[in-house]
Amino acid sequence: RSWDFVVARVAIDYRGELNQDDREAVVRCRVTGFGTSSVRTREEVRKADGSLSAESESVLVPRDPDTGRSRPLTDDEKAALERAIGSD
């Protein structure tokens, strides 16, 4: 089952150039925390050789698909997020 979330905030720090000649990139995303109605994540973008190209932090907000408004996280979502944090 997919969750209906929107990105509310993104902050990006560019660390090194990544261009088409690199041909591929590895992106890692992890959950760093959550509140009543938001999820915080941290992302890294690396070249295939492991060098860091960018770091970011994001805030995601769950959305009610019927109203289009934000909503609180469900207990099931919170449990899944706790597992994701614990497995890091």
Side-chain angles (χ1 to χ4, degrees):
R1 186 182 96 175
S2 70
W3 294 354
D4 196 355
F5 283 72
V6 296
V7 177
R9 178 181 178 276
V10 176
I12 302 173
D13 292 316
Y14 294 98
R15 304 295 187 198
E17 183 179 17
L18 181 66
N19 60 46
Q20 289 182 343
D21 292 337
D22 292 308
R23 303 200 42 88
E24 65 181 52
V26 177
V27 179
R28 180 174 183 225
C29 177
R30 61 187 160 90
V31 176
T32 59
F34 62 91
T36 302
S37 59
S38 65
V39 179
R40 294 176 307 281
T41 64
R42 185 155 181 82
E43 299 78 29
E44 290 182 346
V45 180
R46 294 185 177 271
K47 293 183 181 186
D49 70 5
S51 60
L52 185 62
S53 293
E55 297 176 287
S56 67
E57 295 177 335
S58 302
V59 176
L60 309 173
V61 176
R63 182 180 87 89
D64 182 320
D66 295 328
T67 65
R69 294 182 171 270
S70 64
R71 61 168 177 79
L73 291 164
T74 66
D75 290 340
D76 287 344
E77 290 167 338
K78 289 177 185 177
L81 291 165
E82 283 288 352
R83 288 191 301 273
I85 292 170
S87 69
D88 205 9

